[in-house]
Amino acid sequence: MTRLCQTEGLTEDQSEILKAVRVFVDEQIIPVAQELEHSDTYPQEIIDGLKELGVFGLTIPEEFGGLGESLLTYALVVEEIARGWMSVSGVINTHFIVAYLLMQHGTDEQKQKYLPRMATGEVRGAFSMSEPGLGSDVSAVSTKATKQDDGSYSITGQKMWLTNGATSTLVALLVKTDEGAESVYKNMTTFLVEKEAGFGETAQGVTVPGKIDKMGYKGVETTELILEGHQISADQILGGEPGKGFFQMMDGVEVGRVNVAARACGLAWRGFELGVAYAQQRKTFGKVIADHQAVLFRIAEMATKVEVAHNMMVRAARLKDTGQRMDVEAGMAKMVASEYANEVVEDSFRIHGGYGYSKEYEIERLMREVKFMLIGEGTSDIQKMIIGRSLLKEYKLK
């Protein structure tokens, strides 16, 4: 089937990377995704293949052993992978955000210490802001780092919803400190917490209790993280200076929203593929259902939504690559892509009829997976608040 969402203006390297990933998705991910998802099995062979393709170091500069590609390239790769199985794109998402934070805010020593091993996938990153009592309200963070007499810190608290919580070995952790300005947003600090992969006590005072059982997003583990007097040196403060954590994390969330938009685009694209294929196979009243006007119109609307979401995602990624602020564009892309993905997948589900409710059909999995896109990296309501407040500042009456 002809691919939707052709992106113009790509370099030869970008096109070759996307071609290689697309082949990998078609040959190595789609054929096994159903079985692995239903058994909630971690896709180790797939992850090993992505390491060989260089995906873990896609955006890391060449001087650190990466490919030095742009956010746009990464987003397009994520879209391809999510088309095959959204959970796999989740495995690399938080790793990418931690690498981005190090590249943008890390000290030279931190970059040298972690980026070369992150590029190969030897060090795997996780990103942690949420807690049991908070999601989008980052100001309510209660996990606290207390400075000790020797200059080190002791961290105590409970974190929630860590993607790659068990397989990660480096966690970018947002905590409250006693340092910084009076504003709550200026007394947060990001620490780089090292731990072993696995469950249980993975470092002194750091415990990963177990997997959280989820409706979808299977295969990749989502966990809590409990810290009880974890001792950490000041050298592990991202950027070396306390009080910068909120702004660092918001920078990471901004690119994370482009990432979630890309994942939603991949899900929408796959939903369209499945729907349009089934509509040309299933017959009712003596003809394939694609020949019925109601289904034909549905297919047209699905394809249009896939294209619109893709183009908004690409625009946000391109803006970020130029160094421009793009919180509005990222919010718009995330909101539109997630909502349209939900609509496209549901339309495909409707086209499948009763068979769409069967676990034998891929669309059933997509119906469960796409719901996560509506809440990941901030709900649509949160995006509307960000977008609306920014627009009021720009168009403020004088």
Side-chain angles (χ1 to χ4, degrees), residues 10 89 119 184 228:
L10 296 182
S89 64
V184 67
E228 298 177 338

Side-chain angles (χ1 to χ4, degrees), residues 178-191:
D178 293 325
E179 302 161 288
E182 184 176 338
S183 167
V184 67
Y185 297 107
K186 294 182 180 179
N187 64 10
M188 299 184 198
T189 299
T190 303
F191 280 88

Side-chain angles (χ1 to χ4, degrees), residues 34 267 270-272 274-275 302 344-353 355-370:
Q34 285 290 92
L267 276 169
R270 185 58 178 167
F272 170 81
L274 295 172
M302 291 164 66
V344 168
V345 169
E346 182 170 326
D347 279 342
S348 182
F349 174 79
R350 291 173 184 269
I351 288 172
H352 280 76
Y355 286 106
Y357 207 63
S358 168
K359 284 185 174 289
E360 293 182 19
Y361 281 73
E362 192 176 339
I363 191 64
E364 183 273 340
R365 168 169 62 84
L366 266 62
M367 278 290 289
R368 289 182 288 106
E369 290 179 333
V370 76

Side-chain angles (χ1 to χ4, degrees), residues 76-100:
L76 294 174
V77 165
V78 166
E79 183 182 32
E80 296 278 356
I81 293 172
R83 170 182 158 263
W85 183 14
M86 192 273 288
S87 291
V88 177
S89 64
V91 171
I92 61 174
N93 174 35
T94 54
H95 177 87
F96 158 73
I97 293 176
V98 175
Y100 173 83

Side-chain angles (χ1 to χ4, degrees), residues 210-323:
K211 288 198 300 185
I212 297 170
D213 194 17
K214 309 182 297 292
M215 176 175 76
Y217 202 14
K218 304 284 189 177
V220 56
E221 81 278 0
T222 304
T223 76
E224 296 177 74
L225 185 71
I226 299 171
L227 301 107
E228 298 177 338
H230 175 63
Q231 301 297 312
I232 191 167
S233 73
D235 293 341
Q236 294 302 107
I237 293 175
L238 179 63
E241 184 179 351
K244 304 288 187 181
F246 175 79
F247 305 100
Q248 293 166 344
M249 285 293 199
M250 289 305 101
D251 189 19
V253 166
E254 199 170 85
V255 297
R257 286 182 178 137
V258 175
N259 177 283
V260 173
R263 293 159 74 180
C265 287
L267 276 169
W269 174 15
R270 185 58 178 167
F272 170 81
E273 285 184 325
L274 295 172
V276 75
Y278 187 82
Q280 295 174 82
Q281 299 166 6
R282 177 71 168 174
K283 289 185 177 181
T284 62
F285 305 103
K287 58 183 178 181
V288 295
I289 61 174
D291 289 339
H292 294 291
Q293 189 179 68
V295 176
L296 189 65
F297 281 10
R298 197 182 293 276
I299 290 171
E301 291 173 0
M302 291 164 66
T304 302
K305 290 173 180 176
V306 171
E307 290 283 357
V308 169
H310 170 85
N311 285 314
M312 291 192 72
M313 177 271 291
V314 166
R315 179 170 179 265
R318 288 191 190 278
L319 277 174
K320 190 67 173 179
D321 282 332
T322 64

Side-chain angles (χ1 to χ4, degrees), residues 104-178:
Q104 295 297 119
H105 305 287
T107 64
D108 290 340
E109 292 77 11
Q110 289 168 348
K111 293 175 184 178
Q112 292 289 345
K113 182 178 181 180
Y114 294 116
L115 288 178
R117 291 183 294 153
M118 292 188 78
T120 63
E122 177 189 350
V123 169
R124 300 276 296 282
F127 176 78
S128 180
M129 292 193 303
S130 295
E131 297 180 1
L134 72 93
S136 299
D137 182 13
V138 182
S139 65
V141 165
S142 61
T143 299
K144 189 170 183 179
T146 304
K147 193 169 186 178
Q148 308 296 293
D149 292 339
D150 62 359
S152 66
Y153 291 80
S154 175
I155 303 178
T156 296
Q158 184 178 4
K159 291 293 185 177
M160 194 74 174
W161 308 119
L162 270 77
T163 302
N164 298 327
T167 51
S168 62
T169 53
L170 181 67
V171 180
L173 185 80
L174 184 65
V175 303
K176 287 278 182 69
T177 59
D178 293 325

